[in-house]
């Protein structure tokens, strides 16, 4: 019975349609933010997505862990959601060392996200690489955040690798287009215009209903001239 209930709780992470229904207004907020910030590699849309992921990741966590771990996680999550990133990063780093299993794993995700906001890119990469999950949403986001950290370090080759992982991981119409936009931007920053053009083409052809479609079409037109020269 417990296993059946756990599977039910995780269904929204495995199904794009279920995910949209479960996140409801949060998805709308993400889409609105992306619509207003389409050209950004990272920014407010990314911050909102991290918050959404964090909330549901924590909801799953509290359903599977002991009370002592829940209490410690709750305090750290509260600081994270309140944008107390320095304190949150420190607390989650400690929790990642203290706990194994789901608690330590999820703490690595939070620690990495908080460290990224704090500009501690190497620490963020280390914690996010230590995180792993089989669900639809959080693992792809972790890959994308690692890409963001490398992009901030101007290590565009590594950023490309992780944006690719994010875009290829259980591709869906809700989040994959935003990862592809980051991938294309990283290719452009790395002076790989042909590869960037291919990615913009993919967005235009596969994700015409996405918020990223218009910008992808615009950037595609700009690159087509330079690539053909």
């Amino acid at each position: 019975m417990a296993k059946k209930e756990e599977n039910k709780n995780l269904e929204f992470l495995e199904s794009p349609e279920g995910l949209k229904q479960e996140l409801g207004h949060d998805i709308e907020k993400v889409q609105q933010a992306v619509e207003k910030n389409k050209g950004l590699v990272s920014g407010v849309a990314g911050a909102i997505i991290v918050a959404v992921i964090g909330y549901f990741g924590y909801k799953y966590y509290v359903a599977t862990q002991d009370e002592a771990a829940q209490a410690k996680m709750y305090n750290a999550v509260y600081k994270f959601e309140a944008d107390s990133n320095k304190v949150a990063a420190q607390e989650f780093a400690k929790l990642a060392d203290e706990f194994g299993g789901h608690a330590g794993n999820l703490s690595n995700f939070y620690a990495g996200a908080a460290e990224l906001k704090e500009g501690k890119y190497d620490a963020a990469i280390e914690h996010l690489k230590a995180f792993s999950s089989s669900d639809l949403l959080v693992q792809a986001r972790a890959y994308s955040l690692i890409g963001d950290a490398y992009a901030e370090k101007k290590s565009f080759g590594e950023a490309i690798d992780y944006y690719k992982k994010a875009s290829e991981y259980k591709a869906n119409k809700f989040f994959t287009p935003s990862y592809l936009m980051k991938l294309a931007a990283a290719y452009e920053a790395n002076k790989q215009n042909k590869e960037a053009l291919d990615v913009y083409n993919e967005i235009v052809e596969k994700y015409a209903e996405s918020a990223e479609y218009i910008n992808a079409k615009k950037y595609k037109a700009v690159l087509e001239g330079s690539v053909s020269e």
Side-chain angles (χ1 to χ4, degrees):
M1 184 68 180
K3 184 67 174 178
K4 184 177 180 181
E5 186 66 26
E6 178 181 323
N7 289 338
K8 183 179 179 182
N9 290 338
L10 291 176
E11 283 177 358
F12 78 94
L13 288 177
E14 298 296 341
S15 164
E17 293 299 327
L19 175 64
K20 185 178 181 182
Q21 181 178 0
E22 184 71 24
L23 296 184
H25 294 304
D26 290 308
I27 288 293
E28 292 178 11
K29 290 178 184 177
V30 171
Q31 291 174 333
Q32 289 168 4
V34 171
E35 180 66 29
K36 293 177 182 178
N37 300 277
K38 293 174 191 171
L40 299 178
V41 172
S42 59
V44 66
I48 292 174
I49 293 173
V50 168
V52 172
I53 293 168
Y55 174 76
F56 285 103
Y58 177 68
K59 287 296 185 184
Y60 169 58
Y61 167 77
V62 296
T64 59
Q65 299 298 302
D66 62 70
E67 292 183 3
Q70 286 183 33
K72 291 185 178 182
M73 285 286 290
Y74 177 83
N75 290 331
V77 168
Y78 178 82
K79 291 181 175 66
F80 180 86
E81 298 294 349
D83 286 330
S84 300
N85 297 308
K86 183 176 181 179
V87 176
Q90 291 171 345
E91 293 193 8
F92 279 118
K94 289 179 182 177
L95 289 171
D97 290 336
E98 182 177 352
F99 292 105
H102 293 294
N105 193 38
L106 189 56
S107 291
N108 274 314
F109 177 86
Y110 273 114
E115 286 158 347
L116 180 59
K117 290 182 179 181
E118 282 290 292
K120 296 180 178 179
Y121 305 125
D122 290 330
I125 290 168
E126 182 180 351
H127 277 111
L128 288 165
K129 283 185 176 180
F131 171 81
S132 64
S133 175
S134 61
D135 64 60
L136 167 69
L137 181 58
V138 189
Q139 183 61 69
R141 187 58 188 165
Y143 288 146
S144 179
L145 291 174
I146 295 171
D148 291 346
Y150 276 123
E152 293 288 353
K153 286 164 59 70
K154 301 191 183 303
S155 299
F156 296 115
E158 288 85 353
I160 287 167
D161 290 341
Y162 278 92
Y163 289 145
K164 269 186 181 179
K165 287 185 176 184
S167 66
E168 293 171 355
Y169 188 85
K170 300 187 180 182
N172 63 86
K173 63 184 179 181
F174 302 109
F175 297 103
T176 300
S178 67
Y179 300 145
L180 288 171
M181 285 295 286
K182 290 186 177 188
L183 175 59
Y187 272 132
E188 287 198 67
N190 209 38
K191 304 190 184 305
Q192 294 178 254
N193 288 348
K194 183 180 182 304
E195 288 80 0
L197 179 59
D198 289 341
V199 176
Y200 289 132
N201 271 324
E202 182 176 354
I203 297 170
V204 170
E205 293 172 3
K206 293 184 179 179
Y207 302 102
E209 296 180 358
S210 70
E212 291 76 15
Y213 172 80
I214 294 175
N215 267 24
K217 191 172 182 179
K218 179 175 68 176
Y219 299 152
K220 171 179 177 264
V222 171
L223 280 184
E224 280 175 336
S226 64
V227 169
S228 61
E229 291 176 357

